[in-house]
Amino acid sequence: MRVGVVGAGPMGRAAARQFALAGAAVRLTDRSPELAVRAAAAAGAGALGSVEAHDVDGVLEAELITLAMGTDDTLAFVTRHSDALAGKILIDTTNPVEEAGAAAPGRAGPSMTERIARAAPRSSVVKAFNTACAATLFAGRVDGAHLDVFVAGDDYSAKIPVIELIDRAGLRGLDAGDLRNAHVLEQMALLCMELIERLGLGRDAGIKLLPDG
């Protein structure tokens, strides 16, 4: 399966890193070609697979595409390329940070993932990678333990290859249920961000399930 990543910022670089560690050939694109080249070099260093900088058309040839941009840019990209994304598996990594402060108490609209799914109705959209800081995802570990990656989506056949790639990278992919749970994952991420800020934990944090005993 060909893997693409849109966005060469910290989260895109981290996702590309994990896919490369899983042995995939990854195509990475960004509005800044220079940033894409630097991010590809960092993400692919010493990995079993490879990461190469490509233009958007090259990335759109992949069967599995990770969206690693801001919320507005992600929605605009998906809307613009809806036809080319038909039949693809899309991984949404976004969290609605910009909207969190403006949300009315007690009211919850659709998750970013659900909005992306509406903009790309012929794609299979899953939520993943959003509950860890980018630096933690790049490292693949949290507090010395393998990182957990929660994967939510309605299409079980789309979640399977995503979880398999995550597991092959040395992380632990967890099926987090259907697409409506993407909203829960976004709220988990926002709470994690708030705790990081309030407790001064730095940017190396993530959410991990631990066994009892």
Side-chain angles (χ1 to χ4, degrees), residues 3-203:
V3 176
V5 177
V6 183
M11 182 56 70
R13 183 171 64 247
R17 173 68 175 172
Q18 295 306 322
F19 291 135
L21 290 173
V26 184
R27 295 183 174 187
L28 175 66
T29 192
D30 192 87
R31 66 181 62 181
S32 167
E34 294 80 8
L35 179 59
V37 170
R38 293 196 300 272
L48 178 63
S50 61
V51 185
E52 296 182 352
H54 272 261
D55 60 14
V56 170
D57 290 339
V59 169
L60 289 174
E61 293 176 356
E63 290 86 9
L64 187 153
I65 298 174
T66 295
L67 305 168
M69 301 170 284
T71 54
D72 290 342
D73 287 341
T74 295
L75 282 172
F77 179 88
V78 171
T79 301
R80 185 183 312 118
H81 298 288
S82 178
D83 289 341
L85 294 171
K88 314 282 188 181
I89 299 172
L90 305 184
I91 299 178
D92 169 37
T93 70
T94 64
N95 289 308
V97 178
E98 302 90 343
E99 302 173 11
R107 297 184 60 185
S111 67
M112 277 302 304
T113 318
E114 289 170 310
R115 292 165 66 182
I116 290 167
R118 292 173 186 174
R122 292 173 291 164
S123 303
S124 295
V125 184
V126 302
K127 190 78 166 188
F129 297 129
N130 75 301
T131 58
C133 296
T136 305
L137 178 59
F138 191 95
R141 301 183 71 82
V142 57
D143 197 25
H146 294 298
L147 184 65
D148 284 344
V149 179
F150 303 93
V151 182
D154 288 339
D155 186 349
Y156 185 71
S157 65
K159 288 191 285 187
I160 290 175
V162 175
I163 292 174
E164 287 178 344
L165 280 169
I166 290 168
D167 289 346
R168 287 211 305 268
L171 312 180
R172 185 170 68 163
L174 298 175
D175 188 338
D178 57 28
L179 196 62
R180 63 183 175 180
N181 285 342
H183 177 74
V184 178
L185 294 181
E186 290 175 0
Q187 293 302 308
M188 288 168 59
L190 293 175
L191 175 60
C192 187
M193 292 177 197
E194 181 177 341
L195 290 174
I196 287 171
E197 184 69 24
R198 292 171 63 185
L199 301 178
L201 299 178
R203 292 297 177 180

